[in-house]
């Protein structure tokens, strides 16, 4: 009886957002998998170049390790191997293994067939005597495999590298290629055309794939047979596991009243879509639900369901979980229900901004269900698609196009964007390209000149998206049933599982009162961004306009100016760079004006609650660490100034300070955090330098 797979396999979606289901996008995960496979192949080559030929007495931990080693050796030397015989004993189990050259022995004689079209295939076996025999022994309670016979004498010609890779033992179709082959097969592509498409997508010459056309044909035929046999079982499994997931939601709701979920059923009363969230996530959303990332990059090939995950960013820059949904399809209707259900679970609060992947169905759903929410598409979601769409077609001109596209993304205003876009389309002949048309239709959601002022809260960065990918891999890597997946999501999203954080001591860099004041309000993550802008503000020049506003620019870059509008009555400040509107942090241009206006403390309204310490979701081990450190730091400064002054007067006093300093270091380190040790080493170095000068 054919059995259906009991594990749920999550994969990255490969469907192109242009709407043509025959069009393919290389997902970041696929690129990673391909690069990993390529790296493994390089490693194997390197290991083969440096590997020792097997010899009698060589020891392996297992027979599998021995077979792998001998196989790598064989590939380097132009042949492949196979397992010949094994011997079994009641005490040791399998205790002997024989590995031989693929041309070892002779093919058994066949009876002549009377069939008219019988194909008489010639055997490759020619009695080659190359071999490696192993025997298992138990040494100090551990099993080890010893080489007892080895011969590398062949009676046939060994193959070159470009020939040995085509031996059956080395022709393997990677998982990413398997999914692509099945997709093209479903689209009606013949086998020879599938092979050609794969060659073009990988940018390799014909015949250079690690498998043959007949391997693709066999794979498709075998997979179709399996799918046909398992279709009924898969449907039953999908229905049963979906009901089990719904039951898990009901049980969780009974145990935790703050848990929330919703679902829909089809005409047969079967679970269609299901969404859920946790009490901690709903509470976190009230603090940090101003901007949400809705990821829809994974789907299950076992259940045929799309996974959607709502994520956010907290005041410490950490990824936080808001909710999860499983959808039966990827239509605008399903996306609309998902967004509607999510807002309902979040007590009716809509985000200011929602970031999504490049998806037309999502664009329509956001417009209909979240009319007051701004829709953004991160450039980090677009760039991998740019490579898939244009790398092969443009060839040597791709770097030029990529550079032009990056400049266009950073265009200062909409007019500049439109002008550069027209130039790019004309230069590369993109007038009828469907992907260029798609990007242009969505330009208001991804181009900086259109998105300036959208609140993104530091989420449209490569660092944040790496954090998101790490979270998604944590919940999708396990190939489990829906019930286990539900439990994994709950565990990964539980704030109580997060480690308690120690408040970092935030060093000042400018000694400016504004910086000291900001340190009292902001988390280390937010303070680091504020500090960077404050330091950069010192490189800004400004000139006052007749209306009281200011033109601010970098002291070397005169061509890029920002207009800062200052309204003293309400202490209102606005910059045309829109950094505060985008991140909730003041930019270098506005800080430069505040410094000019002799502000020693910023108005507290410019410290948004989402970036303040008191909004943290996790507890700190020392909430008053900063206050205690302030007193300690003053003591440290006073001690340092005293010691430096004393050491600079006479050689005798320098010797005294040199003697007493270790005692003070020991006292301070024992009383306070160890991080100061580095600072104290620096002070001691200064004293030694002064002592040397006195000599």
């Amino acid at each position: 009886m054919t059995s259906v797979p009991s594990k749920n396999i999550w994969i990255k979606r490969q469907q192109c957002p242009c709407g043509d289901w025959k069009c393919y996008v290389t997902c970041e995960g696929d690129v990673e998998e391909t690069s990993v496979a390529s790296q493994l192949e390089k490693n194997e080559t390197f290991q083969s170049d440096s590997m020792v030929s097997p010899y009698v007495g060589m020891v392996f931990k297992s027979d599998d390790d021995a077979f792998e080693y001998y196989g790598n050796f064989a590939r380097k030397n132009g042949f492949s191997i196979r397992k010949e015989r094994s011997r079994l004993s009641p005490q040791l189990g399998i205790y002997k293994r024989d590995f031989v050259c693929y041309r070892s022995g002779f093919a058994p004689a066949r009876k002549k067939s009377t069939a008219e079209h019988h194909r008489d295939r010639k055997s490759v076996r020619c009695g080659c005597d190359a071999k490696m025999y192993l025997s298992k022994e138990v040494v100090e309670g551990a099993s080890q495999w010893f080489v007892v016979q080895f011969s590398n004498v062949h009676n046939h010609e060994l193959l070159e590298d470009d020939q040995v890779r085509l031996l059956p033992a080395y022709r393997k179709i990677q998982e990413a290629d398997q999914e692509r082959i099945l997709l093209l097969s479903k689209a009606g592509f013949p086998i020879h055309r599938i092979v050609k498409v794969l060659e073009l997508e990988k940018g390799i010459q014909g015949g250079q794939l690690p498998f043959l056309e007949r391997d693709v044909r066999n794979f498709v035929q075998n997979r179709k047979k399996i799918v046909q046999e398992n279709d009924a079982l898969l449907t039953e499994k999908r229905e049963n596991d979906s009901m089990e997931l719904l039951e898990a939601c009901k049980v969780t709701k009974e145990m935790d009243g703050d848990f929330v979920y919703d679902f829909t059923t089809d005409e047969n009363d079967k679970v269609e879509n299901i969404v859920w969230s946790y009490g901690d996530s709903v509470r976190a959303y009230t603090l940090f639900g101003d901007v949400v990332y809705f990821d829809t990059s994974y789907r299950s090939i076992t259940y045929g369901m799309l996974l959607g995950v709502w994520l956010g960013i907290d005041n410490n820059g950490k990824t936080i979980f808001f909710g999860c949904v499983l959808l039966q399809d990827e239509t605008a209707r399903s996306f609309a229900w998902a967004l509607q259900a999510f807002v309902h679970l979040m007590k009716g609060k809509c985000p200011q901004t929602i970031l999504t992947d490049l998806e037309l169905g999502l664009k329509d759903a956001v417009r209909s269900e979240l009319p007051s929410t701004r829709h953004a598409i991160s450039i980090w979601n677009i760039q991998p698609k740019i490579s898939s769409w244009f790398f092969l077609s443009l060839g040597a001109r791709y770097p030029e196009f990529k550079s032009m596209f990056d400049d266009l993304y950073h265009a200062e205003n909409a007019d500049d964007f439109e002008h550069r876009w027209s130039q790019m389309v004309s230069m590369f002949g993109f007038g009828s390209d469907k992907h260029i048309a798609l990007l242009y239709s969505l330009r208001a959601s991804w181009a900086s000149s259109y998105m300036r002022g959208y609140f993104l809260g530091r989420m449209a960065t490569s660092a944040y998206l790496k954090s998101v990918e790490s979270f998604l891999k944590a919940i999708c890597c396990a190939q489990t049933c829906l019930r286990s997946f539900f439990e994994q999501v709950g565990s990964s999203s539980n704030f109580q599982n997060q480690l308690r954080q120690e408040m970092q001591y935030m060093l000042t860099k400018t000694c400016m009162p504004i910086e000291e004041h900001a340190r009292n309000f902001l988390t280390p993550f937010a303070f680091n961004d504020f500090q960077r802008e404050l330091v950069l503000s010192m490189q800004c020049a400004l000139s006052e306009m007749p209306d009281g506003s200011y033109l601010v620019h970098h002291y070397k870059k005169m061509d890029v100016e920002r207009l800062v509008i200052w309204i003293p009555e309400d202490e209102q400040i606005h910059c045309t760079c829109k950094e505060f509107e985008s991140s909730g942090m003041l930019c270098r241009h506005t800080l430069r004006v505040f410094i000019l206006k002799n502000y020693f403390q910023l108005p507290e309204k410019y410290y948004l609650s989402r970036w303040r310490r008191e909004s943290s979701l996790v507890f700190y081990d020392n909430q008053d660490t900063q206050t205690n450190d302030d007193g300690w730091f003053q003591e440290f400064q006073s001690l340092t100034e005293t010691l430096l002054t004393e050491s600079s007067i006479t050689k005798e006093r320098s010797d005294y300070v040199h003697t007493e300093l270790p005692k003070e270091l020991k006292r301070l380190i024992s009383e306070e955090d160890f991080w100061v040790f580095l600072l104290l080493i620096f002070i001691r170095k200064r004293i030694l330098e002064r002592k040397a000068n006195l000599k």
Side-chain angles (χ1 to χ4, degrees), residues 129-258:
D129 195 41
K131 62 196 173 188
M132 185 173 82
Y133 292 172
L134 297 160
S135 179
K136 182 168 73 172
E137 296 182 15
V138 178
V139 180
E140 296 181 355
S143 297
Q144 292 184 336
W145 290 81
F146 293 83
V147 177
V148 294
Q149 287 190 53
F150 175 73
S151 171
N152 197 34
V153 179
H154 300 263
N155 65 352
H156 56 88
E157 185 179 353
L158 298 177
L159 304 177
E160 298 294 332
D161 287 344
D162 61 338
Q163 297 172 315
V164 74
R165 69 181 181 84
L166 297 178
L167 291 175
Y170 306 126
R171 299 202 310 263
K172 296 180 181 179
I173 304 178
Q174 298 294 331
E175 184 177 343
D177 290 331
Q178 291 180 15
E179 296 301 326
R180 184 62 177 142
I181 289 169
L182 291 177
L183 184 65
L184 292 172
S185 178
K186 289 179 181 178
F189 279 59
I191 300 300
H192 72 277
R193 179 61 177 161
I194 292 176
V195 172
K196 186 63 177 177
V197 169
L198 290 174
E199 291 171 344
L200 290 173
E201 289 174 348
K202 294 176 181 293
I204 60 178
Q205 296 180 354
Q208 294 302 306
L209 288 171
F211 44 83
L212 302 177
E213 182 175 318
R214 68 169 176 264
D215 298 322
V216 177
R217 180 175 291 103
N218 292 337
F219 169 74
V220 171
Q221 291 175 349
N222 292 337
R223 184 58 65 93
K224 282 182 177 179
K225 182 179 179 181
I226 293 173
V227 169
Q228 290 172 357
E229 292 174 348
N230 287 344
D231 262 350
L233 293 174
L234 280 172
T235 301
E236 182 180 357
K237 175 178 173 59
R238 186 185 303 117
E239 294 173 355
N240 292 339
D241 284 8
S242 296
M243 289 301 297
E244 189 176 350
L245 173 61
L246 180 59
E247 186 61 30
C249 288
K250 293 178 180 178
V251 171
T252 305
K253 179 65 175 177
E254 293 175 358
M255 297 172 58
D256 178 9
D258 293 331

Side-chain angles (χ1 to χ4, degrees), residues 512-514 542 550 566 571 590-603:
M512 298 174 68
I514 281 182
L542 77 171
Y550 293 86
W566 168 247
E571 292 185 316
T590 53
L591 289 172
R592 182 69 180 86
V593 173
F594 271 121
I595 294 170
L596 177 71
K597 295 294 182 181
N598 292 323
Y599 270 75
F600 298 105
Q601 296 182 355
L602 293 178

Side-chain angles (χ1 to χ4, degrees), residues 3 40 105 115 160-161 171 174 236 287 367 398 401 415 459 483 509 519 542 590 595 607 681:
S3 62
L40 287 174
E160 298 294 332
D161 287 344
R171 299 202 310 263
Q174 298 294 331
E236 182 180 357
L287 293 171
R367 185 190 298 117
Y398 178 77
F401 160 75
D415 290 339
M459 284 176 64
R483 177 64 180 267
K509 295 181 178 179
R519 188 173 66 164
L542 77 171
T590 53
I595 294 170
Y607 301 125
I681 289 176

Side-chain angles (χ1 to χ4, degrees), residues 258-307:
D258 293 331
F259 177 81
V260 286
Y261 71 100
D262 198 1
F263 65 97
T264 62
T265 56
D266 59 19
E267 61 275 7
N268 298 318
D269 204 30
K270 304 295 184 182
V271 176
E272 188 178 32
N273 307 308
I274 186 166
V275 60
W276 69 90
S277 184
Y278 304 89
D280 282 346
S281 297
V282 176
R283 285 185 287 273
Y285 185 81
T286 62
L287 293 171
F288 306 113
D290 42 15
V291 56
V292 172
Y293 181 75
F294 185 36
D295 185 274
T296 55
S297 58
Y298 283 86
R299 68 175 295 108
S300 167
I301 59 174
T302 301
Y303 299 102
M305 303 181 81
L306 176 71
L307 171 65

Side-chain angles (χ1 to χ4, degrees), residues 294-387:
F294 185 36
D295 185 274
T296 55
S297 58
Y298 283 86
R299 68 175 295 108
S300 167
I301 59 174
T302 301
Y303 299 102
M305 303 181 81
L306 176 71
L307 171 65
V309 183
W310 290 277
L311 301 164
I313 186 171
D314 70 3
N315 56 348
N316 292 294
K318 305 296 184 183
T319 299
I320 50 178
F321 174 86
F322 289 144
C324 185
V325 67
L326 291 174
L327 302 173
Q328 287 291 345
D329 56 47
E330 304 169 23
T331 62
R333 174 179 169 273
S334 293
F335 285 133
W337 177 85
L339 294 176
Q340 188 181 54
F342 174 71
V343 172
H344 176 70
L345 297 187
M346 298 298 117
K347 301 180 179 179
K349 179 184 176 182
C350 296
Q352 295 179 33
T353 309
I354 184 168
L355 288 96
T356 73
D357 199 354
L358 195 65
E359 180 72 53
L360 288 174
L362 266 174
K363 173 189 174 184
D364 296 336
V366 171
R367 185 190 298 117
S368 64
E369 300 302 324
L370 304 174
S372 61
T373 297
R374 289 180 161 178
H375 183 202
I377 300 170
S378 172
I379 190 64
W380 301 104
N381 289 121
I382 293 177
Q383 285 178 338
K385 298 176 177 61
I386 294 292
S387 176

